[in-house]
Amino acid sequence: MKPVIPQINSTTYYLGTNDRTKPLFENLWPIPDGVAYNSYFIKDEKTVVIDTVDSAYAESFLDKVDYLLSGKPLDYLIINHMEPDHAGSIALLRQRHPEVKMVVNKRTLPMLNAFHGQQEPVVVVDENGELNIGSRSLRFYLAPMVHWPEVMFTYDPENCVLFSADAFGSYGALDGGLFDDEVDYDRFLSETYRYYANIIAKYGRQVQNALKKASGLEIKTICSTHGPVWRSHIPEVIALYDKLSRYETEPGVVIAYGSMYGCTEEMAEVIAKSLSHHGVKHIRMYHTGMTNASYILADLFRYNGLILGSPTYNMELWPPIASLVEKIKTRYIPGHILATFGSGAWNGAVEYKLAPLAEEFGWQEVAKPVITIGKADEEAYERLWELGRRMAEAVLK
């Protein structure tokens, strides 16, 4: 049966697949709408595959490659990114097409050996390197730590296409459409936000370096390894990456709390009412026992204020709050505003875990932690209301 293979342009084809069965991306991040693994094929005097797909979908991927080759040899496999959801089918592709030359940079070589135990035949390219494939020469731009050290971009100057590895990617399977103007754009833009916050977030400086390289290129199409192919909203998605990698936020507050028996949750409600009363429009409340950190981190990249609330648990932070704290620390997010609160049934030790967080994050703290033993009393309510007022004043400034 003839496979359905969408075209990007007259010489470039889409080989990607959709995964609607995996509940968690990287076994961490929820993907209720699935995810796409994108791969591409260029027909010229030479034939070229750019990245592969997760090995679970190799059979469909290989059938598409063979159909497009129509009996011709496969000349090149360009490996922009070695993460297994994109490089997982390399060995299987080479078993079927042992003649293929792998186009890599020097940082890819040890990873290729580690994952697949094979390094020949290879073509090693460097910054501004070129590969002639007939009517054109593809160009290469290194983009280390966006978000692995070996990442590179491939650029087709004839069609002004940037093959961007994971940059500009998003969660979400492609339900029929391929291009950004054929799908629910708002949904994918939101999932691009979340994907960045979960996967790329730590590497803002490196993203800025990559954007500077891309700024000198005429780009009519961006082919990422996840999500839609961008052609109608390229300025918007580049502007989003610029904003996120500069850690620019808008006024708003994320309240992330834990509560076992309702005491801490009641405190969170008081703070939220105070924030609203004092003019904050964008308030996002998350019970961390019920919400994956994926969504909280995405809003943390959107809004400039965070209020953390935790009960005492075994003389420590409540485990989901402790986990969220570690995820925030590893992303090195600068310039936010913090406040904290908590409760204990019989011990307020959580205060000593919350108090150092502003210094550890490198953030501005607007008030000392508000801690109660048992349910909050009238005096605690007043302090929580004041905490909300101070946070509102800080984020709206």
Side-chain angles (χ1 to χ4, degrees), residues 253-258 264 267-268 271 284 286 288 296 300 305-311 317-318 320-326 328-329 337-343 350 353-358 360-361 363 365 367-371 384 387 391:
V253 179
V254 176
I255 303 175
Y257 68 93
T264 316
M267 298 169 74
I271 294 170
R284 300 290 185 267
Y286 293 106
T288 56
I296 302 171
L300 193 57
L306 173 66
I307 301 177
L308 283 172
S310 176
L317 294 173
W318 196 53
I321 290 290
S323 177
L324 176 62
V325 164
E326 289 307 308
I328 294 170
K329 286 180 182 179
I337 302 161
L338 180 69
T340 59
F341 67 99
S343 64
V350 70
K353 301 296 179 179
L354 294 170
L357 291 184
E360 291 176 11
F361 292 167
W363 294 0
E365 186 175 34
K368 291 182 179 179
V370 177
I371 307 298
L384 292 165
L387 184 151
M391 175 60 79

Side-chain angles (χ1 to χ4, degrees), residues 311-318 346-353:
T312 302
Y313 192 86
N314 285 337
M315 309 293 285
E316 302 284 345
L317 294 173
W318 196 53
W346 48 269
N347 187 296
V350 70
E351 178 175 1
Y352 303 104
K353 301 296 179 179

Side-chain angles (χ1 to χ4, degrees), residues 139 148 165 168 215 296 377 396:
R139 300 177 195 162
W148 277 27
F168 311 111
S215 67
I296 302 171
D377 57 18
L396 295 174

